[in-house]
Amino acid sequence: MRPIEKLIEERISKELAPTSLKIINESHMHRHHAPMQGVESTATHFRVKVISEKFAGTTMIKRHHLIYGLLANEM
């Protein structure tokens, strides 16, 4: 696991105590995009799937905002 993936896992686990957490590195799918030209990092795009009781009663938008807030400094 790369350092950024570990950081994502730690932040989400600490705040949401998920029953399931999957972090999928999809950086390779974005290499051809113009803004990625010349970027050497292989850790730029991730799909995160989270199941947590803390999401109960919240909308998908609020769930996304919560995750984005946890990872704001890395985006």
Side-chain angles (χ1 to χ4, degrees), residues 8 22-27 29 45-49:
I8 293 169
K22 294 181 182 169
I23 302 166
I24 303 109
N25 187 337
E26 294 185 343
S27 301
M29 297 168 67
H45 291 78
F46 295 91
R47 178 182 306 268
V48 178
K49 297 181 180 184

Side-chain angles (χ1 to χ4, degrees), residues 8-22:
I8 293 169
E9 177 184 51
E10 288 171 356
R11 292 231 177 111
I12 292 173
S13 294
K14 179 181 176 186
E15 296 297 321
L16 300 176
T19 55
S20 177
L21 173 59
K22 294 181 182 169

Side-chain angles (χ1 to χ4, degrees), residues 4-73:
I4 188 68
E5 291 169 78
K6 186 70 175 157
L7 185 133
I8 293 169
E9 177 184 51
E10 288 171 356
R11 292 231 177 111
I12 292 173
S13 294
K14 179 181 176 186
E15 296 297 321
L16 300 176
T19 55
S20 177
L21 173 59
K22 294 181 182 169
I23 302 166
I24 303 109
N25 187 337
E26 294 185 343
S27 301
H28 65 282
M29 297 168 67
H30 299 270
R31 254 187 258 146
H32 66 282
H33 296 173
M36 301 310 300
Q37 299 307 305
V39 174
E40 306 245 347
S41 176
T42 58
T44 58
H45 291 78
F46 295 91
R47 178 182 306 268
V48 178
K49 297 181 180 184
V50 183
I51 299 173
S52 172
E53 290 294 322
K54 293 192 179 183
F55 286 151
T58 64
T59 65
M60 188 176 295
I61 296 292
K62 287 185 180 181
R63 294 172 192 184
H64 284 195
H65 286 174
L66 179 57
I67 298 293
Y68 291 150
L70 293 174
L71 304 173
N73 291 334

